[in-house]
Amino acid sequence: NRKWYIIMPFSLRKQLWDVIVFVTLLVEVVTLPMVAAFSSTLQLWALAAVDVVFGLDFVLSFFTAYRAT
């Protein structure tokens, strides 16, 4: 029996989460240079949302199983 908090790496939820993190990373890669180059101010909620996504991904990585071969 596996524990309820263990995340299987090939589950649909994990794959969807990885897509969300990838899209967030793409948005960050595009917007960060623009903000730095043009002194643009991003909305505070947008910056906080990126931080929350990356923070959650960091925490969830501790609960993701791996295949030992």
Side-chain angles (χ1 to χ4, degrees), residues 29-51:
V29 164
V30 170
T31 59
L32 192 60
M34 289 185 178
V35 169
F38 301 114
S39 300
S40 173
T41 58
L42 242 108
Q43 297 292 331
L44 185 60
W45 63 268
L47 295 173
V50 169
D51 289 341

Side-chain angles (χ1 to χ4, degrees), residues 2-45:
R2 68 180 175 120
K3 305 291 185 188
W4 62 270
Y5 51 84
I6 301 297
I7 301 168
M8 290 296 153
F10 301 110
S11 68
L12 182 60
R13 285 184 179 178
K14 176 67 169 125
Q15 290 177 356
L16 289 174
W17 176 253
D18 288 342
V19 169
I20 291 170
V21 170
F22 181 72
V23 169
T24 305
L25 182 63
L26 286 179
V27 169
E28 187 73 7
V29 164
V30 170
T31 59
L32 192 60
M34 289 185 178
V35 169
F38 301 114
S39 300
S40 173
T41 58
L42 242 108
Q43 297 292 331
L44 185 60
W45 63 268

Side-chain angles (χ1 to χ4, degrees), residues 43-61:
Q43 297 292 331
L44 185 60
W45 63 268
L47 295 173
V50 169
D51 289 341
V52 166
V53 168
F54 289 146
L56 279 174
D57 188 52
F58 178 77
V59 171
L60 290 176
S61 68

